[in-house]
Amino acid sequence: MLRNAETYNAELEAYKAGAIWESALSLVQHLLNTQDLNNVQVGTLAASLNKAAQWQSAIETFQNTKELADTFMLTHILGALGKCGRGVEATQVINYAKKEAIRFDSYLYNAAISSVCSSLMWEQGLNLLEKALSDSHVSSVSRGAADLLGTFGRLQESQKAEKVFSNYIQRFPNDIEVYNAMMHSLNLCHRWHNSLSLFKSMAQRGLELNIVSFTNAINPMTRLLGWQASLRIMKFIFQRDYDGKDNRHGNVMIALNAFLSSLSNTGHWKMGLEMYREAQDVGYKVDASALGSCVRLCLRSREWSAALGILEDSMRKGVQLDVRSYNLAAYCYGCGYMWEKAVKLLDPTLMQRRNLFANEFSFSIKTRCLMLGGQW
């Protein structure tokens, strides 16, 4: 019985709906072998693989079906390459798209710029952004521009970031995502005055500030205006409830993490602990990253018992630890001369039950605790 493209597409949809990626890829491979790929929605499969974090499979789909590549498919392939940090291969795909005269729209420009920036290939990203800004059909390249600004921040190239930002806002003057990215880039370069000035100008321009804007202002405010200023921002964020209290890993946790980190050299560990507990009390489900920042804040002030207390309390409340916060718990036990508890906590079998795997820091802490207990 002959099958047409409609039935193949229906089968692909069924596999995608059930996340049965191996069967979907096998079907594509079968169609490839029989040269029966015309009108089959391979681009949609690539998009679904990318969304499901099956990046390598998405890349392989493109490699096997280049002849079907279009703007939609390439957007998701470049997204997959960016997630894998494979900027060189992304450049090859971009060059292929140019050679085949595939139309670049806003989505493809964004994906292309982000994919090369994932490997810090800023020259290629800058070239693509300039082309996008000169294309009257492009409605926005905010994600690509934001990633390029972030790359300049990581490379400590604040002047290049400022030039890109200035050119971008001439075309898109009210793009809050790019303003936020510029603040973040300045923060990475430790240009606190410039970052805070930009934050104030955003409010003066009447831009609708969001939680990312306020989060980016926390570190500069702590450094220039004192921790009380950033505390007011955190209180404001809690009151606005940007994410909803059922959001486990939302932007509020990123803001809390930034606030706790900004207090690291101030000695105000009690205030950090208070805000961490307030987040729990008002209903937010704190994550391992915020917990780790709170514990490190206590440790920097040599408050071992406070650090251990917040760890044990958070575990009782069901906070899911990652390996970093788990290591911190063992370290706190060691600092409190409870080396046996530390060693037991770092037992590989117990860690695996928690879906955690020891790293080099786990072994280092365990060795230190055994030596502390005279277990040579």
Side-chain angles (χ1 to χ4, degrees), residues 160-171:
K160 287 185 173 69
E162 287 173 336
K163 185 176 179 180
V164 166
F165 176 69
S166 177
N167 291 336
Y168 185 89
I169 62 173
Q170 287 180 25
R171 172 83 188 272

Side-chain angles (χ1 to χ4, degrees), residues 2 9 42 60 105 207 223 234 245 281 289 331 376:
L2 293 174
N9 284 329
V42 181
E60 289 172 3
D105 61 6
L207 297 178
R223 290 173 180 273
M234 278 309 306
K245 303 209 172 51
D281 291 342
S289 181
Y331 179 76
W376 306 100

Side-chain angles (χ1 to χ4, degrees), residues 140-202:
S140 173
V141 274
S142 57
R143 183 166 65 89
D147 285 342
L148 182 58
L149 291 172
T151 298
F152 285 136
R154 289 192 293 277
L155 295 173
Q156 302 293 297
E157 293 281 3
S158 61
Q159 291 184 340
K160 287 185 173 69
E162 287 173 336
K163 185 176 179 180
V164 166
F165 176 69
S166 177
N167 291 336
Y168 185 89
I169 62 173
Q170 287 180 25
R171 172 83 188 272
F172 303 107
N174 299 314
D175 193 330
I176 190 65
E177 184 177 351
V178 174
Y179 274 91
N180 289 338
M182 186 62 205
M183 277 189 71
H184 180 61
S185 183
L186 291 168
N187 287 345
L188 290 173
C189 296
H190 295 176
R191 295 185 59 182
W192 313 115
H193 285 92
N194 300 75
S195 179
L196 196 54
S197 295
L198 181 59
F199 177 71
K200 292 176 180 177
S201 73
M202 289 159 63

Side-chain angles (χ1 to χ4, degrees), residues 219-239:
N219 218 337
M221 281 194 171
T222 300
R223 290 173 180 273
L224 301 177
L225 304 177
W227 62 270
Q228 296 91 338
S230 54
L231 176 63
R232 286 194 293 272
I233 285 197
M234 278 309 306
K235 295 282 189 181
F236 175 76
I237 288 172
F238 282 174
Q239 289 168 2

